[in-house]
Amino acid sequence: MPQTAQFKKSYPYLAGILLGLLSAAILLGAFITYIRGNQQEQADWLFNQFNTVVKDFYSALIPLNALGLTTCDAENLRAMEIAQFNAVYPRQLMFYIEDEGVCSTGSGMLDEPVRRPPPDIISPATGAQIWVNRKIILDLTGKLFTAIILKLGNYTAMVDPGTIALPDGSPFDWQILYREPGASGQTIHVHGTQGLYRQDSASTNFSYGSFFYHESCDTERTYVCLVQITSTTNIAREYANVFALFSLLSLALGSMGGRFVHSWQGRQLHMAARVLNGFRNDAYYWLFQPIFDMEQNRIIGCEVLSRFSDDYGDAMPDDYLPAIREAGLTADFTRLMFGKILPDLDSQKDLPDGFRVSINIFPADIISGAINDIIRMDAIRQSRFALTLEITEEEYLDEIGGQDSLDKIREAGLSISIDDFGTGYSNLNQLKKLHCSFLKIDRSYIAELEHEPIKSSLIPHIVRMAEQLKLWAIAEGVETFEQMVILVGLGIRYGQGNLFGHPMTAQALVDHIEALVIGNSNNAVLPEN
């Protein structure tokens, strides 16, 4: 087997591997985004919780200071007990005279005053003094507790650091710290695992030795920061089920991609054989899409559209028509088409004589002259319908051979229509040489009508060109009523598209025509040049 063939044979496997890796990368990216979002959500929760605790402190201490009490008597103790009862988070309140605590809600009057060291933090907003991780006695048992203490005026409030801890079950090690505002940015450990903060890290979201490092700070209210970090091992253990699901999805997508490429490759490799067998196995069939008179609201003709279906399934025209060209079977295909569609349509006695039937032909058959023999078929010469041959815009149709064939087509009484006009090479001079009767405006122009882009603005120029050459313009791909109204306003009388009917069988076409409630029972016929 040649190297190229061997390499092509490996396409499905390579596609499966690439798609599997790509899907794994996408899923991993989504997972990382989820983890980052989860870390930020925890940080936002912490900042809100910390702010709530601070507000609760102030709601207890500000009214106490407003009382103006200067001694620790029964009134002061009672006021502190009420303030603590009404508050949510403080575990104990204490009253200070100058720098010495003399009484508290937990111990009453102290035997010896409590003198605090210099504060760890001074709030830049309120001047409140804060001590972190201090050992204190909260009650008469003498048991020591770790607390965060906030002093405002003559009173302090103490809170358990667990109040501002992250919920249990987090896969991350974490550290809460206070970072001073300003250029210095000095930090003070508040709670959690000390030493996680990496001030010199090049990135706040990743560092060597850890898979996730995330740092977020509340720079507007409390100046508290949360650092979260974890290892690849911890992530894999915590989200083992997620990684297993990702692996299965990646394998499944890779397998699907490989099978798709294999199927597509098989269709391409076998299309040439299917095209040949299609002539013997009756795989080709044709449907008819109405052409509609938008001014008189009636169907006046149809376009013949080829289809292909065999034991391997359906094939798209973009697949089998190029294969027919490459196999040199265009003339055979066209003969088969005329031999099938004209008797099929002729059997529908309700279709009037002169009903316009447009048939697509290959430009190569015009250049080669093969069309000259085709148009002498009895089915064409004896047809009661007005036949139009549709050709796509081709640069070489104005060659001598092409001109001779076009002349013979017109002499045989057939009309010529330029299909998909606006996408090829035709200009005014070439249209004059072709002596065509119809221009079919490409659907890409019609699709953009309602949005008024630059491309659809060319339609009036096409209409004027058609009028100058006395050609009939037909709009392809009309899908909405709004498009029809605009086209009629631009002077285009005839349209084709799903708005007027999908491709259908000959019998269905007749039924469709009869189902239309119209004022005139006789179908109009497209005028001839």
Side-chain angles (χ1 to χ4, degrees):
M1 182 181 293
Q3 271 191 323
T4 302
Q6 288 180 338
F7 184 68
K8 287 184 177 180
K9 192 174 181 180
S10 67
Y11 281 176
Y13 305 102
L14 293 175
I17 292 171
L18 290 175
L19 186 58
L21 292 174
L22 178 62
S23 60
I26 293 174
L27 292 171
L28 180 60
F31 176 72
I32 291 174
T33 301
Y34 164 76
I35 293 296
R36 293 290 182 219
N38 181 262
Q39 288 177 313
Q40 188 58 50
E41 285 180 5
Q42 294 196 61
D44 292 340
W45 176 88
L46 173 73
F47 299 150
N48 289 330
Q49 177 69 3
F50 203 96
N51 192 53
T52 300
V53 171
V54 171
K55 286 183 177 180
D56 193 45
F57 274 28
Y58 287 149
S59 68
L61 300 185
I62 290 175
L64 286 175
N65 281 292
L67 294 176
L69 302 175
T70 57
T71 60
C72 191
D73 51 18
E75 180 185 3
N76 200 345
L77 283 171
R78 178 62 177 165
M80 286 194 292
E81 289 171 354
I82 293 173
Q84 182 175 337
F85 178 80
N86 291 330
V88 177
Y89 297 105
R91 295 285 299 275
Q92 176 177 276
L93 301 182
M94 181 175 287
F95 175 72
Y96 277 71
I97 297 177
E98 295 183 354
D99 292 329
E100 295 182 340
V102 294
C103 62
S104 70
T105 53
S107 303
M109 291 297 299
L110 302 179
D111 294 335
E112 294 183 5
V114 175
R115 181 174 290 275
R116 295 285 175 207
D120 300 314
I121 302 167
I122 298 179
S123 170
T126 64
Q129 300 176 354
I130 302 172
W131 292 264
V132 296
N133 298 319
R134 297 297 177 172
K135 300 293 184 180
I136 62 171
I137 299 173
L138 291 180
D139 51 38
L140 298 176
T141 63
K143 184 177 180 180
L144 290 174
F145 292 87
T146 301
I148 297 174
I149 304 170
L150 184 144
K151 182 174 183 292
L152 185 67
N154 294 329
Y155 295 88
T156 62
M158 306 165 195
V159 67
D160 181 357
T163 304
I164 54 170
L166 291 184
D168 294 335
S170 172
F172 305 101
D173 292 328
W174 52 271
Q175 178 187 11
I176 300 171
L177 52 92
Y178 173 84
R179 185 159 66 185
E180 291 182 357
S184 65
Q186 294 295 318
T187 59
I188 298 171
H189 173 73
V190 176
H191 194 35
T193 303
Q194 195 164 0
L196 299 183
Y197 175 62
R198 301 182 178 183
Q199 190 171 13
D200 297 329
S201 174
S203 171
T204 59
N205 287 324
F206 179 82
S207 64
Y208 294 105
S210 65
F211 191 71
F212 288 104
Y213 176 88
H214 185 271
E215 173 192 320
S216 185
C217 296
D218 181 1
T219 58
E220 297 182 356
R221 298 176 299 180
T222 61
Y223 303 101
V224 169
C225 295
L226 173 65
V227 173
Q228 299 173 81
I229 192 171
T230 191
S231 66
T232 307
T233 304
N234 289 340
I235 287 290
R237 182 172 57 250
E238 184 70 20
Y239 295 97
N241 292 336
V242 174
F243 281 113
L245 179 60
F246 282 2
S247 298
L248 291 174
L249 285 174
S250 298
L251 289 172
L253 290 172
S255 176
M256 290 171 59
R259 292 188 179 195
F260 174 80
V261 172
H262 183 267
S263 175
W264 174 84
Q265 190 180 46
R267 289 198 303 270
Q268 298 304 310
L269 291 174
H270 299 299
M271 183 52 67
R274 291 174 66 187
V275 161
L276 290 173
N277 292 331
F279 285 91
R280 295 190 295 268
N281 301 333
D282 206 25
Y284 300 100
Y285 65 99
W286 287 266
L287 300 176
F288 309 92
Q289 186 171 37
I291 297 175
F292 195 75
D293 185 332
M294 297 184 290
E295 290 184 0
Q296 297 187 7
N297 294 321
R298 64 182 66 201
I299 294 172
I300 48 76
C302 66
E303 179 183 355
V304 180
L305 301 172
S306 67
R307 296 293 186 263
F308 182 95
S309 181
D310 61 8
D311 293 338
Y312 295 98
D314 297 337
M316 299 298 293
D318 288 343
D319 292 327
Y320 64 81
L321 291 179
I324 290 174
R325 280 196 297 268
E326 292 175 7
L329 297 173
T330 55
D332 297 302
F333 178 83
T334 303
R335 289 190 185 93
L336 176 65
M337 174 174 57
F338 277 112
K340 292 279 189 179
I341 64 168
L342 293 180
D344 190 12
L345 290 171
D346 190 59
S347 67
Q348 304 298 325
K349 301 306 180 184
D350 290 329
L351 288 178
D353 294 348
F355 189 76
R356 178 67 57 183
V357 179
S358 294
I359 306 103
N360 290 276
I361 60 173
F362 293 92
D365 289 340
I366 297 179
I367 301 301
S368 67
I371 193 66
N372 300 334
D373 292 329
I374 294 174
I375 59 178
R376 287 196 289 267
M377 293 175 60
D378 290 342
I380 295 176
R381 291 188 300 104
Q382 298 171 8
S383 176
R384 63 188 179 91
F385 302 116
L387 302 181
T388 298
L389 302 187
E390 293 191 11
I391 54 177
T392 55
E393 297 181 77
E394 296 287 352
E395 190 174 26
Y396 46 78
L397 280 179
D398 58 353
E399 295 180 2
I400 295 176
Q403 285 296 318
D404 182 64
S405 295
L406 293 175
D407 290 340
K408 285 183 170 56
I409 290 172
R410 287 188 293 271
E411 290 170 3
L414 281 67
S415 300
I416 299 171
S417 175
I418 300 298
D419 195 18
D420 301 331
F421 185 77
T423 62
Y425 304 98
S426 293
N427 54 38
L428 186 61
N429 290 330
Q430 286 173 317
L431 289 177
K432 289 179 180 178
K433 292 180 182 179
L434 294 175
H435 298 289
C436 56
S437 301
F438 306 97
L439 288 183
K440 299 191 76 173
I441 303 172
D442 185 66
R443 64 181 59 247
S444 62
Y445 290 87
I446 311 305
E448 299 178 353
L449 261 180
E450 297 172 74
H451 307 292
E452 299 184 0
I454 296 176
K455 191 170 185 180
S456 64
S457 66
L458 297 175
I459 294 179
H461 299 287
I462 297 175
V463 172
R464 284 195 294 272
M465 183 185 298
E467 290 174 348
Q468 183 177 350
L469 296 174
K470 295 182 171 55
L471 308 180
W472 291 97
I474 303 173
E476 291 187 295
V478 183
E479 304 289 333
T480 68
F481 180 77
E482 289 75 15
Q483 290 173 344
M484 186 186 78
V485 172
I486 295 172
L487 290 168
V488 171
L490 292 173
I492 299 176
R493 179 173 177 176
Y494 303 105
Q496 179 183 338
N498 291 334
L499 177 65
F500 312 120
H502 293 266
M504 61 191 75
T505 63
Q507 180 59 57
L509 176 65
V510 172
D511 294 340
H512 186 57
I513 294 173
E514 292 177 351
L516 294 176
V517 181
I518 56 176
N520 185 353
S521 60
N522 295 317
N523 290 314
V525 178
L526 280 172
E528 300 212 32
N529 282 354

